[in-house]
Amino acid sequence: TYKRLRTRMLQHLMWDMVARLGSARFETISGEVVSVALLVLETSRPPADQRFAALDVSEPRVPAEKAKLLRESDLLTLSQAEQLQNPDARIILDDTPAGKGKLLDEYSDFGKGSVTGDAPHYLRKFWEYPSIPEGCKRWQGSPDGLSPWSGRHEVVLWHVPGHDLTTELGVMLRGQRILGKRGVVFSKMRDLPCAMYTGELFDDNVGVLVPNEGTHLPAIWAFCSSLEFAASVRRIDQALKVTAATFVKVPFDLEHWQKVAEQLYPNGLPEPHSEDPTQWLFKGHPARSTEPLQVAVARLLGYHWPEQQDDGLDEFADKDGLVCLPSVSGEPTAAERLRALLAAAYGADWSPAKQNELLAAVDFAGKSPADWLRDGFFKQHCKLFHQRPFIWHLWDGRKDGFSVLVNYHKLDNALLTRLTYTQLGDWIARQRHADQQGQSGANARLVAALRLQEKLQLILEGEAPYDIFVRWKPLEQQPLGWQPDLNDGVRLNIRPFVEAGVLRAKPNIKWGKDRGKNPPGSPWGQERHNDCHLSLAQKRAARAQGNQEP
């Protein structure tokens, strides 16, 4: 539609001036909402030799600087008729013709991404599950430009019991003609970072192109991953978010980029690989990770990455997913167990110097693993894993008190009960005995531990505000007490622990309104509101009423 609009305007109106302002162009409007141009037209048919004045002041980030350039910059004059030769009749404000040579669309096809209609309901980080469950599909998101295999951290609840994406109102499944093929995936924003594409469902915030012939993929990847590609796209489209069709509207010299690809990849394109633990391609080994300490803790708690290989470290994993920082019930401290796992992971390379190196990399230089586990791990864990932590650090608020790392995937009602009354109970008994013996600080530790136990009891019971609320479930299906459903995600299931204040750090999670509306007949109305607490009496009454219905 925009191509037709531009063509009509170039053919039937006389263009006098175009000034590209870009974003950040008005003092009273903040943010990069749209990219704007000033345009002067006359309502008369242009002569064949019509030329218009042009200038580009989009680069400055301050409106006053743009205004100054509008008054003082030299004007470029361009042929109006030649603009029709540009791809899709796009307006290009330089005097180098863009329509010469073959375009990338002669060698490749493109696809638009899908829209779930309710991302908080249907999209999950893959680590929110102990393993990617049947019925979930891998979901390609926006590349970060730092790795050719980035953007691989989400799965979509495609056809999971109680969660069927294909029935969601507002869902738009697109790009089917290129699914399952190899190509290149781009972020549509800013400098258009790209990554390799391997056939997954993909988000609407990205665009994907696949070569018509597989042998052309190295050349296309060499071009798309170069600075020249982004510059070529931005030359014809300065919008904040580029359309998927634009990616293939740029000139492409196949022979030149084949030679570049041969030089860059003499042994062929790299195979799928990532050392980033937030990507599902990661193999799960601490020593071959960008975040070795975080990976080691996850392995200690029994987490298994989707592509994890048998590396001999599983023997160090805790069987029940509870690792206390102090010694409780006769078990070694968390720091001791972590050091043993790291020593096995690094083998002959393990040493005190290596330990110090790892701690320095997480801003704990000169400190011990115990210090990092107590004061740094969980906050860093939340940040690394997109505020969807799967190893939770529960504590009583005292640095010399009770702390435990918990594998969220295993934290069902039975395990939380055991933590509350067995592990924590053992600690309470020891502090009570020490207090009776007059040991300094024991009474304060006892009081803190008893307070923690009371809070965990409240979570087990699930009375508001220590309840789990799931907006896409009817009232009679809301959980009673601590009965989490992993399909509902960390965002909702972690809330009772946040409300109780028992986490070592508070993850940055919002429980306000989600975008869009609920399906018709939703018991919570049309707004996707998450900041809600329900009493046990409400839930039980709904369940009783549901059982009475035929």
Side-chain angles (χ1 to χ4, degrees):
T1 54
Y2 290 120
K3 176 183 178 180
R4 293 195 297 270
L5 172 65
R6 287 189 293 264
T7 300
R8 287 200 307 271
M9 291 178 68
L10 287 168
Q11 290 176 338
H12 301 291
L13 299 175
M14 189 158 67
W15 291 50
D16 291 331
M17 175 177 283
V18 177
R20 180 182 298 140
L21 300 183
S23 56
R25 66 278 169 203
F26 301 126
E27 292 179 349
T28 55
I29 302 177
S30 61
E32 296 191 9
V33 181
V34 290
S35 184
V36 175
L38 296 176
L39 180 59
V40 180
L41 302 171
E42 294 184 49
T43 55
S44 58
R45 185 176 293 273
D49 60 350
Q50 171 65 16
R51 300 183 69 83
F52 64 90
L55 70 164
D56 187 341
V57 299
S58 60
E59 188 168 339
R61 312 301 301 165
V62 179
E65 294 181 19
K66 294 179 185 288
K68 184 174 185 295
L69 289 175
L70 283 174
R71 292 190 300 268
E72 300 176 3
S73 296
D74 292 333
L75 295 174
L76 184 68
T77 59
L78 302 174
S79 166
Q80 181 170 333
E82 287 183 0
Q83 296 293 319
L84 289 165
Q85 301 175 21
N86 295 334
D88 294 338
R90 296 171 186 263
I91 311 305
I92 299 177
L93 302 188
D94 62 49
D95 54 5
T96 304
K100 304 299 183 182
K102 293 185 176 182
L103 300 181
L104 188 55
D105 66 358
E106 296 192 36
Y107 303 96
S108 60
D109 193 9
F110 73 92
K112 296 180 180 180
S114 297
V115 177
T116 65
D118 188 351
H121 181 177
Y122 292 103
L123 290 182
R124 298 283 176 271
K125 309 302 180 185
F126 72 83
W127 56 80
E128 296 186 62
Y129 291 100
S131 61
I132 298 176
E134 185 177 354
C136 280
K137 291 180 180 289
R138 301 188 184 199
W139 184 263
Q140 173 72 56
S142 298
D144 59 15
L146 303 177
S147 163
W149 302 103
S150 59
R152 292 164 159 83
H153 55 260
E154 288 184 315
V155 295
V156 59
L157 280 65
W158 183 260
H159 190 59
V160 176
H163 310 267
D164 191 338
L165 177 63
T166 60
T167 64
E168 170 67 27
L169 296 177
V171 64
M172 290 183 285
L173 301 177
R174 300 185 295 213
Q176 285 91 334
R177 69 177 184 270
I178 63 173
L179 296 180
K181 301 178 182 179
R182 295 197 64 174
V184 185
V185 57
F186 305 87
S187 169
K188 295 180 178 179
M189 307 290 283
R190 302 186 184 278
D191 55 353
L192 316 177
C194 67
M196 299 292 291
Y197 173 69
T198 50
E200 298 82 7
L201 286 167
F202 54 97
D203 194 278
D204 188 49
N205 290 318
V206 304
V208 170
L209 65 85
V210 297
N212 297 331
E213 296 185 26
T215 56
H216 292 164
L217 180 57
I220 290 175
W221 168 253
F223 173 51
C224 294
S225 59
S226 71
L227 296 176
E228 185 174 331
F229 174 77
S232 297
V233 173
R234 284 304 185 186
R235 183 167 173 250
I236 62 173
D237 194 331
Q238 298 79 39
L240 184 63
K241 187 175 183 179
V242 177
T243 60
T246 302
F247 291 118
V248 295
K249 296 296 184 180
V250 294
F252 177 64
D253 185 339
L254 176 62
E255 183 177 353
H256 167 74
W257 289 105
Q258 284 177 326
K259 294 178 181 178
V260 173
E262 289 173 0
Q263 295 174 350
L264 293 175
Y265 310 105
N267 300 318
L269 292 175
E271 291 300 312
H273 171 76
S274 179
E275 296 182 349
D276 180 352
T278 68
Q279 305 300 303
W280 66 62
L281 293 172
F282 177 60
K283 304 295 185 184
H285 198 283
R288 294 185 283 277
S289 167
T290 57
E291 300 287 344
L293 288 180
Q294 288 286 339
V295 174
V297 172
R299 294 295 301 272
L300 179 62
L301 271 292
Y303 179 66
H304 195 282
W305 267 266
E307 303 294 328
Q308 186 171 306
Q309 299 174 331
D310 184 7
D311 53 18
L313 297 181
D314 286 343
E315 64 180 272
F316 296 91
D318 189 85
K319 298 301 184 289
D320 60 9
L322 296 178
V323 175
C324 295
L325 270 63
S327 176
V328 176
S329 301
E331 291 188 346
T333 66
E336 292 172 322
R337 299 176 67 177
L338 179 63
R339 274 194 294 265
L341 189 150
L342 286 167
Y346 280 92
D349 293 331
W350 182 250
S351 66
K354 172 58 73 173
Q355 175 179 292
N356 292 336
E357 176 188 323
L358 297 180
L359 289 168
V362 293
D363 299 324
F364 271 72
K367 298 183 180 180
S368 69
D371 293 328
W372 175 72
L373 285 170
R374 183 191 64 210
D375 300 328
F377 161 74
F378 188 61
K379 184 176 182 180
Q380 295 172 4
H381 181 75
C382 292
K383 182 178 180 180
L384 174 64
F385 289 100
H386 303 201
Q387 306 301 325
R388 298 294 184 266
F390 62 96
I391 305 298
W392 295 356
H393 181 176
L394 313 182
W395 77 323
D396 61 10
R398 291 182 60 89
K399 290 190 175 184
D400 62 346
F402 182 84
S403 284
V404 61
L405 301 177
V406 184
N407 185 334
Y408 153 72
H409 306 132
K410 300 181 179 183
L411 191 60
D412 56 11
N413 189 277
L415 188 59
L416 183 57
T417 299
R418 182 146 57 90
L419 168 62
T420 303
Y421 297 104
T422 302
Q423 274 87 351
L424 182 52
D426 178 75
W427 175 264
I428 289 172
R430 287 166 52 191
Q431 302 315 309
R432 184 173 283 121
H433 177 73
D435 183 40
Q436 292 170 352
Q437 298 298 313
Q439 187 179 112
S440 176
N443 182 261
R445 290 193 296 272
L446 175 61
V447 170
L450 288 170
R451 188 182 302 116
L452 173 61
Q453 189 177 60
E454 291 173 359
K455 291 180 178 179
L456 295 182
Q457 290 170 339
L458 290 172
I459 294 173
L460 281 166
E461 294 169 3
E463 185 60 80
Y466 308 109
D467 61 314
I468 300 172
F469 172 72
V470 185
R471 65 167 173 80
W472 49 78
K473 288 183 175 179
L475 183 55
E476 64 272 13
Q477 293 181 14
Q478 295 292 323
L480 287 171
W482 179 246
Q483 298 288 347
D485 178 355
L486 293 185
N487 287 324
D488 295 331
V490 170
R491 178 196 185 200
L492 302 185
N493 288 331
I494 201 173
R495 188 163 190 188
F497 293 84
V498 174
E499 293 288 345
V502 297
L503 295 170
R504 182 63 180 88
K506 185 177 180 180
N508 184 17
I509 298 176
K510 306 297 182 185
W511 293 283
K513 296 178 183 178
D514 295 332
R515 290 186 176 183
K517 295 182 178 181
N518 278 332
S522 167
W524 319 120
Q526 291 300 302
E527 291 184 342
R528 289 175 172 167
H529 193 69
N530 297 279
D531 192 12
C532 182
H533 294 287
L534 300 172
S535 69
L536 290 172
Q538 288 176 285
K539 298 178 183 179
R540 289 180 178 133
R543 291 195 177 195
Q545 182 178 0
N547 291 334
Q548 294 173 3
E549 294 178 355

